[in-house]
C-alpha cells in the first residue's frame, strides 16, 4: 500500500485497514442486525415455548412446550383480532389502491403544479400516526366533532363513529385511508411517469381511445408496479397499531381489536409474555410468508431489488 | 415532465380535460388538508369557542402554554427526549447504513452475505414492531436500562437503518465508478475515496436518508411506549397518547399537542420536499 498518504489519501489510516475496508464497512450493519434483531428473535422463540409471566415483580418462566399453541386454539379474542385485521387489511388496501391510482392518473404529466399537489398529498405520511389518531378522535367526537356537526347541518343522522360496534372498524379504516392513500399515489405516479412513450404514440396513430389505451397499455405496463404497491401496503397495513390504540384501543368489545393491539395487551397489560411471544411468532411467520411472496414477485417481474 | 409522460397523458388523460384533472386534485388536496386546518384552528381557540362553533374567534396561545409548561408531562421535556433519541438513532443508522451500503454496492459479496443483509433488513422492515417489543422489554430490564434513552435508541435504529441502507445503496449504485478509480490512480486509498469522493457525491441521498430516519424515529410510538414509563425518557408521541386518553374533553390542548408533535414533519415538508418524495418512493420501490 505504498500509495497511502500520497496525494489526497488520508494520512494516518493504515494500509491494512484500507485493504480490509469492504469488511469493516459492512461490520457495523452486521453487528446491529445480529444484536438487535436476530438475537431478540431467537429469544422470542424461546419465550414462546414458555409460560413467562411476572410473579410479584420478578419474572417467572417455565418451559411449557406447545401449551401456548393450545391456548391460541381456544382464544376467541385472538380469532376476532385476526378476522378484524383481515377485514381491515383487505378493505383499506383496495380502497387506497383505487383512490391512489385515480389521483395518480390525474396528476401524471400535468403541465404545471404537479409537484405542489404531490407535496400536499404526502403530508399525512410524515406526521406522527399518533397525532393523526388524536386529530381524528377530535373530529369523530359525537357532540363537538366537526364531522357530526356537518352532518347535523345537512340534517343527516349523526352516528357514534367510534362507540358503535357495528361501524367502529369502518371508522378506523377511514382514518387509515386518509393516512395512507398518498403512499399508493406516490408509487403509482412514479410508475406512470416512467412508462415508455412509444407504445402510446403508436396507439394514438392507430386512433385508440383513452380508455382503450388505458386497458391495453397502461394497465399491463403498470402490472409489476401495481403488484409491488399492493403487496407493500398489505404488509404495512398488517402492522396497524398506533391509530387503533388512540381511537378505540380495540373496543367497543372486540369490534376493532387487531393483531398488534391484542398482542400488546397480552404482553403489557396481562403480562403474559410467553403467550404474547407465541402470538408474535405467529405474526412474524405470517409476515415472512408475505415477504417471500413479495421477493418472488419482484424477481418474476424483473424489477431491480 | 418528459415526453413519455406527455404522450401518456394525451391518451389516458386527454379525454378528461386538464381543468377537470386540476379540480380532482384540488378536491383530494382539500380533503387531505381539512383535518389539519380544523385541528390547527382549534389549537388556537378557547374552549368556549370550540364548543360554540363560532367562526370568528379571538386567537389564544393558552392551549400551547398549558401543554408545554403546565402539565404533569411537560411537552418541552418530551421534546428534548424525542430530539435526543431521534438524533442518536439517526446518527447510528447513517454511519452504519452509509458504510454498509457502500461496501455492498462497490464490492463483490457472496450471495449469502447480500441476502442476509438486504433480505433480513426487508424482513425487519416489514414484520410488525410488536414482535420485537417483548424481547426488547426483557432485555431493557435485564440490563437495567428500562426507562432510559438507550433501549429506545436501539429499537429506533432497527427501524431507521433499513431506510438509510436502501436510499444510500440506491445512490452509490448510480455513482459512476470511474470517478473513484481516477482518484485511486492519483493515490487516494479506498477509505479516502469513500470519504472524499463517494460520500460527498451521494450528499443529497444522505440528506434524504437523514431526514427520513429522523422522522421515522420522531413518529415512532410502540417502542417508546413499551420501553419507557416516565417523562425521564419518554417521547412526544407517547405524551400525546397519554394526554389524549386521559383527558378526552380538553379539545384545545389535544389539538395543540398534535400540532406540536407534527412540527418536524411540517418543517421538513416545507424545506426538503423533493428529497423527501424521492426518499419515500425509493425506499419503497427499491425494497
Amino acid at each position: 500500500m505504498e500509495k497511502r498518504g500520497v496525494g489526497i489519501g488520508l494520512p494516518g489510516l493504515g494500509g491494512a485497514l484500507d485493504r480490509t475496508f469492504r469488511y469493516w464497512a459492512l461490520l457495523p450493519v452486521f453487528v446491529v442486525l445480529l444484536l438487535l434483531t436476530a438475537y431478540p428473535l431467537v429469544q422470542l422463540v424461546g419465550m414462546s415455548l414458555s409460560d413467562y409471566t411476572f410473579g410479584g415483580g420478578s419474572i417467572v418462566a417455565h418451559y411449557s412446550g406447545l401449551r401456548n399453541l393450545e391456548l391460541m386454539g381456544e382464544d376467541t379474542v385472538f380469532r376476532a383480532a385476526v378476522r378484524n385485521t383481515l377485514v381491515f387489511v383487505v378493505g383499506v388496501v383496495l380502497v387506497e389502491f383505487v383512490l391512489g391510482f385515480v389521483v395518480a392518473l390525474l396528476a401524471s404529466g400535468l403541465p404545471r403544479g404537479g409537484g405542489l399537489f404531490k407535496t400536499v398529498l404526502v403530508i399525512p405520511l410524515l406526521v406522527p400516526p399518533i397525532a393523526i389518531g388524536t386529530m381524528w378522535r377530535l373530529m369523530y367526537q359525537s357532540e363537538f366533532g366537526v364531522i357530526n356537526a356537518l352532518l347535523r347541518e345537512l340534517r343527516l343522522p349523526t352516528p357514534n363513529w367510534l362507540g358503535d360496534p357495528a361501524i367502529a372498524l369502518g371508522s378506523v379504516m377511514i382514518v387509515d385511508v386518509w393516512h395512507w392513500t398518498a403512499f399508493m399515489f406516490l408509487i403509482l405516479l412514479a410508475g406512470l411517469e416512467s412508462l415508455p412513450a412509444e407504445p402510446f404514440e403508436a396507439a394514438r396513430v392507430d386512433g385508440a381511445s383513452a380508455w382503450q389505451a388505458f386497458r391495453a397499455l397502461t394497465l399491463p405496463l403498470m402490472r409489476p408496479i401495481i403488484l409491488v404497491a399492493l403487496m407493500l401496503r398489505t404488509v404495512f397495513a398488517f402492522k396497524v397499531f398506533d391509530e387503533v390504540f388512540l381511537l378505540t384501543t380495540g373496543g367497543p368489545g372486540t369490534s376493532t381489536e387487531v393483531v398488534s393491539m391484542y398482542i400488546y395487551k397480552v404482553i403489557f397489560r396481562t403480562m403474559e409474555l410467553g403467550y404474547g411471544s407465541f402470538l408474535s411468532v405467529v405474526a412474524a411467520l405470517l409476515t415472512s410468508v408475505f415477504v417471500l411472496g413479495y421477493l418472488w414477485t419482484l424477481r418474476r417481474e424483473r424489477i431491480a431489488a | 415532465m418528459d415526453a413519455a409522460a406527455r404522450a401518456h397523458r394525451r391518451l389516458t388523460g386527454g379525454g378528461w380535460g386538464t381543468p377537470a384533472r386540476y379540480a380532482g386534485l384540488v378536491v383530494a388536496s382539500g380533503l387531505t388538508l381539512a383535518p389539519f386546518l380544523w385541528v390547527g384552528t382549534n389549537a388556537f381557540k378557547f374552549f368556549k369557542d370550540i364548543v360554540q362553533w363560532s367562526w370568528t374567534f379571538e386567537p389564544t396561545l393558552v392551549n400551547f402554554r398549558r401543554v408545554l409548561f403546565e402539565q404533569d408531562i411537560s411537552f418541552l421535556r418530551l421534546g428534548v427526549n424525542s430530539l435526543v433519541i431521534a438524533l442518536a438513532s439517526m446518527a447510528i443508522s447513517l454511519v452504519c447504513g452509509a458504510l454498509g451500503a457502500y461496501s455492498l454496492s462497490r464490492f463483490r459479496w457472496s450471495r449469502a452475505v447480500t441476502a442476509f443483509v438486504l433480505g433480513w433488513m426487508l424482513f425487519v422492515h416489514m414484520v410488525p414492531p410488536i414482535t420485537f417489543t417483548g424481547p426488547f422489554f426483557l432485555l431493557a430490564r435485564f440490563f437495567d436500562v428500562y426507562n432510559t434513552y438507550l433501549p429506545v435508541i436501539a429499537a429506533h435504529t432497527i427501524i431507521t437503518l433499513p431506510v438509510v441502507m436502501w436510499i444510500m445503496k440506491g445512490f452509490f449504485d448510480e455513482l459512476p465508478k470511474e470517478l473513484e478509480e481516477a482518484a485511486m490512480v492519483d493515490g487516494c486509498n479506498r477509505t479516502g475515496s469513500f470519504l472524499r469522493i463517494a460520500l460527498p457525491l451521494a450528499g443529497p441521498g444522505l440528506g434524504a436518508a437523514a431526514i427520513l430516519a429522523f422522522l421515522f424515529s420522531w413518529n415512532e410510538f410502540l417502542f417508546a411506549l413499551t420501553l419507557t414509563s416516565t417523562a425521564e425518557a419518554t417521547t412526544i408521541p407517547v405524551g400525546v397518547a397519554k394526554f389524549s386518553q386521559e383527558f378526552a374533553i380538553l379539545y384545545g390542548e389535544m389539538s395543540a399537542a398534535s400540532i406540536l408533535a407534527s412540527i418536524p414533519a411540517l418543517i421538513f415538508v416545507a424545506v426538503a420536499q423533493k428529497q423527501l418524495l424521492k426518499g419515500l418512493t425509493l425506499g419503497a420501490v427499491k425494497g
Side-chain angles (χ1 to χ4, degrees):
Chain A
M1 285 284 108
E2 55 291 335
K3 282 176 185 169
R4 167 173 63 92
V6 185
I8 53 173
L10 278 188
L13 278 175
L17 201 58
D18 197 60
R19 235 172 298 131
T20 55
F21 180 80
R22 59 181 292 192
Y23 296 103
W24 66 258
L26 200 58
L27 191 67
V29 173
F30 239 92
V31 172
V32 168
L33 286 182
L34 284 177
L35 278 184
L36 296 182
T37 66
Y39 173 71
L41 277 184
V42 170
Q43 197 193 16
L44 182 79
V45 173
M47 284 158 69
S48 73
L49 300 174
S50 75
D51 59 357
Y52 250 93
T53 49
F54 281 96
S58 60
I59 292 161
V60 188
H62 303 285
Y63 175 76
S64 66
L66 291 176
R67 173 89 185 102
N68 287 325
L69 182 66
E70 286 171 40
L71 284 179
M72 190 179 84
E74 297 156 7
D75 191 340
T76 52
V77 182
F78 182 65
R79 223 172 294 156
V82 171
R83 200 172 47 233
N84 289 336
T85 308
L86 288 179
V87 171
F88 177 89
V89 169
V90 173
V92 299
V93 170
L94 287 180
V95 175
E96 285 161 17
F97 170 70
V98 172
L99 290 179
F101 205 7
V102 168
V103 182
L105 285 170
L106 292 178
S108 81
L110 270 191
R112 66 185 66 222
L116 178 69
F117 289 117
K118 245 201 244 186
T119 308
V120 170
L121 292 172
V122 89
I123 294 176
L125 289 181
L126 302 166
V127 164
I130 219 72
I132 287 175
T134 306
M135 287 165 54
W136 279 86
R137 210 171 118 160
L138 292 169
M139 296 199 300
Y140 273 143
Q141 211 278 339
S142 294
E143 290 158 71
F144 311 118
V146 66
I147 296 175
N148 277 359
L150 290 175
L151 292 175
R152 224 171 278 135
E153 291 287 313
L154 299 169
R155 311 243 176 267
L156 290 171
T158 52
N160 186 357
W161 294 96
L162 299 172
D164 180 349
I167 59 167
L169 187 62
S171 306
V172 176
M173 287 164 72
I174 291 175
V175 179
D176 193 86
V177 167
W178 180 82
H179 187 175
W180 282 97
T181 297
F183 182 80
M184 284 286 191
F185 161 75
L186 275 181
I187 296 185
L188 295 171
L189 183 61
L192 283 176
E193 295 195 330
S194 64
L195 290 180
E198 294 77 19
F200 291 96
E201 296 287 5
R204 192 168 62 98
V205 172
D206 292 344
S209 72
W211 174 246
Q212 282 171 328
F214 178 76
R215 283 283 307 272
L217 291 173
T218 311
L219 274 184
L221 287 172
M222 285 286 285
R223 206 183 103 98
I225 253 346
I226 289 173
L227 281 175
V228 166
L230 286 175
M231 299 196 72
L232 278 179
R233 231 353 250 147
T234 303
V235 180
F236 290 158
F238 185 69
K239 302 202 262 191
V240 64
F241 178 83
D242 302 18
E243 292 91 341
V244 178
F245 182 90
L246 205 88
L247 290 168
T248 61
T249 333
T254 57
S255 59
T256 61
E257 197 73 80
V258 286
V259 170
S260 288
M261 189 70 233
Y262 182 59
I263 297 177
Y264 167 80
K265 283 180 185 165
V266 170
I267 296 182
F268 294 100
R269 296 229 170 129
T270 57
M271 287 291 172
E272 297 282 349
L273 266 81
Y275 182 49
S277 301
F278 186 83
L279 296 181
S280 304
V281 171
V282 172
L285 284 176
L286 284 176
T287 315
S288 33
V289 170
F290 232 94
V291 173
L292 288 176
Y294 170 72
L295 289 174
W296 187 74
T297 312
L298 281 183
R299 266 177 87 133
R300 237 181 69 126
E301 303 287 337
R302 287 158 213 266
I303 305 169
Chain B
M1 184 185 61
D2 56 5
R6 212 172 296 131
H8 178 252
R9 173 170 64 98
R10 265 202 296 277
L11 275 158
T12 54
W16 308 35
T18 309
R21 306 173 78 203
Y22 277 116
L25 287 168
V26 168
V27 169
S29 305
L31 288 174
T32 306
L33 287 181
F36 289 106
L37 289 179
W38 187 69
V39 175
T41 48
N42 273 357
F44 294 97
K45 285 182 182 176
F46 288 107
F47 185 71
K48 65 171 170 55
D49 288 328
I50 297 175
V51 296
Q52 281 176 356
W53 280 95
S54 46
W55 285 103
T56 53
F57 62 95
E58 182 194 342
T60 171
L61 287 175
V62 67
N63 297 316
F64 288 95
R65 199 184 69 217
R66 287 216 190 103
V67 170
L68 279 172
F69 307 109
E70 291 172 13
Q71 289 299 321
D72 301 342
I73 350 161
S74 144
F75 271 57
L76 213 54
R77 178 62 211 261
L78 299 188
V80 173
N81 295 346
S82 276
L83 198 64
V84 171
I85 289 168
L87 287 176
S89 55
M90 178 187 91
I92 296 172
S93 54
L94 278 185
V95 171
C96 298
L99 279 168
Y102 183 77
S103 182
L104 282 181
S105 169
R106 275 296 177 270
F107 302 99
R108 195 185 287 272
W109 284 100
S110 79
R111 284 178 71 99
V113 174
T114 39
F116 173 73
V117 175
L118 292 177
W120 188 255
M121 206 89 85
L122 188 70
F123 174 74
V124 171
H125 188 59
M126 290 184 158
V127 92
I130 190 76
T131 308
F132 288 100
T133 50
F136 261 84
F137 175 71
L138 281 188
L139 281 172
R141 283 178 54 104
F142 181 78
F143 289 108
D144 206 17
V145 289
Y146 178 79
N147 200 30
T148 67
Y149 290 159
L150 202 67
V152 190
I153 293 171
H156 284 190
T157 300
I158 68 173
I159 292 176
T160 55
L161 185 60
V163 181
V164 173
M165 274 287 279
W166 281 312
I167 295 180
M168 292 316 291
K169 187 160 183 307
F171 270 84
F172 287 135
D173 283 346
E174 277 167 29
L175 282 188
K177 279 187 173 176
E178 291 73 24
L179 287 168
E180 288 180 74
E181 280 161 6
M184 285 194 273
V185 169
D186 289 344
C188 189
N189 60 24
R190 189 41 96 168
T191 322
S193 130
F194 167 70
L195 287 175
R196 288 162 188 242
I197 314 283
L199 210 52
L201 284 174
L206 207 61
I211 293 174
L212 282 178
F214 182 91
L215 281 183
F216 274 44
S217 167
W218 181 276
N219 292 352
E220 201 282 334
F221 173 65
L222 186 53
F223 281 118
L225 176 73
T226 53
L227 297 173
T228 62
S229 56
T230 65
E232 295 292 301
T234 208
T235 62
I236 289 255
V238 180
V240 173
K242 285 195 175 147
F243 198 69
S244 307
Q245 296 214 312
E246 280 165 28
F247 313 99
I249 320 272
L250 302 177
Y251 300 98
E253 286 88 337
M254 276 167 74
S255 307
S258 53
I259 295 299
L260 284 172
S262 312
I263 284 178
L266 299 177
I267 291 177
F268 285 134
V269 169
V271 175
Q273 34 166 308
K274 269 218 169 101
Q275 255 89 322
L276 275 178
L277 290 175
K278 195 165 180 186
L280 272 178
T281 30
L282 212 105
V285 179
K286 289 244 173 170

